[in-house]
Amino acid sequence: ASTGAMLTYFALLTDLSVFSTRVSAFALVCSRVVSEVALFFFGITFFVAAFACGICALDQDNTDFGSIPDAALQLYKITFGMFSGYDQLEEDPALLLVCFVYVVTTVIFMMNLLIAQLNSAYQATYLDMLGYARLNRGKIVCETMPSVPKWRWEAFVRVLSLDECLEFGEGDMGVPGGVTVFEPASANITTVDMIRRFGGSTSPEAQWPEEENTCDDEDDRFDRMEKLMQKAMKRMSRSNGGMTGMASGSLGTEESGWNTFMGEDSSEE
């Protein structure tokens, strides 16, 4: 009972994994692939029962394989590398052959099949596990919020300074209500500024300004200019290739004509 209580206590400590998104995602992946491990143990149990019954039907005198439960226990030991009585199996070739077939079926085939299943299940589930980890964190936060004292929550909100305006860049003040998070400049490279800026008052009661010439703004003009430059470069490369081919062809024609002329002179001589 005490062992079960300690295992349950440490199982409850897995909720602390929400403090790290990667650890939480890993814990969720482990819970998702447990079904593959359960299928593996089901297949191992089936083969153990089948081979244990077959070994008991053999004409053999090995005491370790005298009954079906004993044979099943020894086969489990062979599967997990805990069996040490291989010297006794040499005295009975039929029993040794059956154990060899069992090792090939379970240790080689089933173990590698389990690895392939775990690899496939991990790749299929880990892509979505980061989102599930964030949802799990939000769920735990919502469940623990009623137990947080009001004064502690107010102190936490004051530390966040949500009423201060955020800084998009140096000297570029933005809107309040967020937390600034710094990241490397190479993490998310953006070539187009996604922030639309308008002159005038920033009052919430002011009407949102309308964009003029939305179809012919500077970004669209630069994009069209860039596409025109790319097309011009392609045309220039193609024309240079054609001129190179024509020059090589004309050079070959001149060489052949000069060779013919020299041949005629030699024939006249």
Side-chain angles (χ1 to χ4, degrees):
S2 59
T3 303
M6 291 302 298
L7 293 177
T8 304
Y9 173 74
F10 278 95
L12 293 175
L13 288 180
T14 56
D15 290 339
L16 298 178
S17 62
V18 298
F19 289 104
S20 175
T21 305
R22 294 188 62 185
V23 176
S24 181
F26 176 75
L28 290 174
V29 168
C30 292
S31 64
R32 293 296 180 93
V33 300
V34 166
S35 60
E36 305 294 336
V37 180
L39 289 175
F40 167 76
F41 279 109
F42 177 77
I44 289 294
T45 303
F46 174 80
F47 283 111
V48 165
F51 278 90
C53 294
I55 288 173
C56 290
L58 286 175
D59 186 11
Q60 48 90 19
D61 298 329
N62 196 320
T63 57
D64 292 336
F65 297 88
S67 62
I68 293 178
D70 293 338
L73 179 61
Q74 300 304 320
L75 291 176
Y76 273 121
K77 288 182 178 180
I78 291 175
T79 304
F80 297 106
M82 302 170 61
F83 184 72
S84 60
Y86 290 102
D87 296 337
Q88 300 177 1
L89 297 179
E90 297 179 357
E91 301 175 359
D92 196 339
L95 180 59
L96 180 62
L97 178 62
V98 173
C99 291
F100 176 76
V101 174
Y102 174 78
V103 169
V104 172
T105 305
T106 57
V107 178
I108 298 178
F109 175 72
M110 293 294 292
M111 283 291 186
N112 287 280
L113 182 61
L114 174 64
I115 294 172
Q117 285 181 327
L118 291 178
N119 188 17
S120 178
Y122 182 85
Q123 291 180 355
T125 57
Y126 186 75
L127 297 176
D128 300 328
M129 281 302 102
L130 291 177
Y132 284 119
R134 294 187 180 97
L135 291 175
N136 189 30
R137 174 186 294 181
K139 175 185 175 183
I140 295 176
V141 169
C142 292
E143 289 177 352
T144 55
M145 278 300 298
S147 60
V148 177
K150 185 177 180 181
W151 62 270
R152 179 172 295 178
W153 172 253
E154 292 177 352
F156 173 72
V157 173
R158 285 195 301 269
V159 171
L160 294 179
S161 303
L162 297 176
D163 54 343
E164 296 181 2
C165 294
L166 302 179
E167 213 173 9
F168 293 138
E170 187 175 357
D172 186 8
M173 301 303 296
V175 295
V179 178
T180 303
V181 178
F182 294 97
E183 63 180 11
S186 59
N188 297 286
I189 300 176
T190 56
T191 57
V192 180
D193 191 2
M194 301 302 295
I195 303 174
R196 297 283 183 171
R197 293 176 172 83
F198 299 94
S201 175
T202 58
S203 174
E205 289 78 11
Q207 186 178 1
W208 186 263
E210 296 182 359
E211 299 184 30
E212 296 181 358
N213 300 326
T214 54
C215 298
D216 193 20
D217 55 359
E218 295 183 358
D219 295 337
D220 293 338
R221 287 199 296 270
F222 280 117
D223 292 339
R224 287 199 297 271
M225 187 180 299
E226 185 177 1
K227 291 179 180 179
L228 290 174
M229 292 177 64
Q230 292 177 357
K231 291 181 179 178
M233 293 295 293
K234 290 181 180 179
R235 292 175 183 173
M236 291 174 62
S237 61
R238 291 176 183 173
S239 60
N240 290 334
M243 292 176 64
T244 304
M246 292 175 61
S248 59
S250 61
L251 180 60
T253 305
E254 291 177 358
E255 290 179 353
S256 61
W258 176 258
N259 294 330
T260 304
F261 178 73
M262 293 297 294
E264 291 177 355
D265 292 343
S266 60
S267 61
E268 290 177 357
E269 291 177 358

